[in-house]
Amino acid sequence: MSVASAAYDASLNHNLVFAIGGAEAMSSGIVYVIDDDREIRLSLSFQLSTLGYKVYPFVAAADFLEQCADLTPGCIVLDIRMSGMDGAQALVAMRQRGIDWPVIVMTGHAEVSVAVDVMKNGALDFLEKPFEDHELQTALQRGFSRLEDDRAQAERMRRAKERLARLSPRERDVFRLMLGGEANKVIAHKLDLSIRTIEMHRANVLAKMETRNVTEAAVMLGGRLP
């Protein structure tokens, strides 16, 4: 299915180009609305557009899943009760595909078991229709805050991996033991090297990782080598 799929409402198709691929769109507040009820879909799209979000409505979860690989990460507003693939099934499918964007689930029926299931599967929030505008806005603010945190973490890991690539195989061996909290004497014994050689490798590791000590390096890597 092409990007100009009929899955989108024609009245909003002109926005779609901004959702594809560009880094500049990452900060635009993109929201994907998935609901097979046209009136609700258009109402939500209009409401969110007036708040400054870029909104892209989908008629069916299957259409979104088919195209999501080409879309810029954003928040997803997902209805539970839909024909074909319902919202709960769509949420599971997203997670199976590694799509961990914030998902706000909507339902017109207060079902505790459904709410529990979708929250277990990673939904950010669960809103019962009709909900107040501020409830959706609050949930979206949380979602975009999480997206920003995820982007920052991904950037930190990208930089960390670039620095790790500078290490020699022996320096990686030393670094792994450093992250385990081993003293120079223990590392020297385990690697059958002199303490002086370990001190040299340790200094090289910290210089190449651009950190002042092993604690900073551990924080950068989340405590372990990838």
Side-chain angles (χ1 to χ4, degrees):
M1 187 177 296
S2 69
V3 165
S5 166
Y8 301 94
D9 286 290
S11 59
L12 295 171
N13 273 350
H14 67 282
N15 284 332
L16 183 59
V17 65
F18 295 103
I20 308 289
E24 68 279 6
M26 295 289 280
S27 61
S28 299
I30 294 172
V31 181
Y32 300 101
V33 175
I34 308 173
D35 195 320
D36 61 357
D37 185 315
R38 178 177 173 81
E39 293 304 316
I40 293 177
R41 192 169 63 250
L42 293 182
S43 175
L44 275 176
S45 297
F46 177 76
Q47 172 194 345
L48 294 172
S49 294
T50 62
L51 295 173
Y53 295 108
K54 291 190 186 326
V55 186
Y56 308 99
F58 283 81
V59 176
D63 294 316
F64 173 81
L65 289 168
E66 184 176 338
Q67 298 188 34
C68 63
D70 297 318
L71 300 177
T72 297
C75 287
I76 301 167
V77 180
L78 175 67
D79 191 40
I80 279 288
R81 291 181 176 271
M82 294 186 290
S83 57
M85 180 183 291
D86 65 25
Q89 293 169 331
L91 186 57
V92 171
M94 290 177 201
R95 298 319 181 213
Q96 290 174 340
R97 297 181 185 208
I99 304 167
D100 59 354
W101 308 346
V103 178
I104 300 161
V105 173
M106 307 179 294
T107 180
H109 307 269
E111 298 181 38
V112 174
S113 61
V114 174
V116 171
D117 285 344
V118 296
M119 297 304 283
K120 282 183 178 179
N121 284 318
L124 178 74
D125 212 334
F126 187 88
L127 302 180
E128 182 182 352
K129 301 174 185 176
F131 45 81
E132 298 293 332
D133 291 354
H134 70 85
E135 294 180 87
L136 180 56
Q137 285 182 258
T138 298
L140 286 171
Q141 287 168 0
R142 289 175 53 215
F144 285 114
S145 177
R146 203 192 82 185
L147 274 177
E148 186 57 38
D149 289 344
D150 290 346
R151 283 195 288 268
Q153 176 62 20
E155 176 60 20
R156 285 194 294 270
M157 288 306 299
R158 184 192 65 78
R159 292 198 301 267
K161 288 180 179 179
E162 283 183 351
R163 295 171 189 177
L164 278 173
R166 305 171 188 169
L167 304 184
S168 69
R170 178 58 79 189
E171 287 167 348
R172 286 179 69 91
D173 292 339
V174 172
F175 192 23
R176 185 173 289 104
L177 293 170
M178 288 168 58
L179 290 174
E182 303 286 11
N184 286 352
K185 182 177 180 180
V186 175
I187 296 174
H189 175 72
K190 287 187 174 182
L191 298 180
D192 195 23
L193 297 169
S194 70
I195 293 178
R196 177 60 185 154
T197 299
I198 296 304
E199 289 174 346
M200 179 187 69
H201 283 318
R202 180 184 285 264
N204 288 342
V205 166
L206 295 179
K208 291 180 180 180
M209 293 302 295
E210 300 180 27
T211 54
R212 292 172 295 180
N213 51 55
V214 70
T215 300
E216 284 187 5
V219 169
M220 178 187 298
L221 295 171
R224 61 185 178 82
L225 289 179

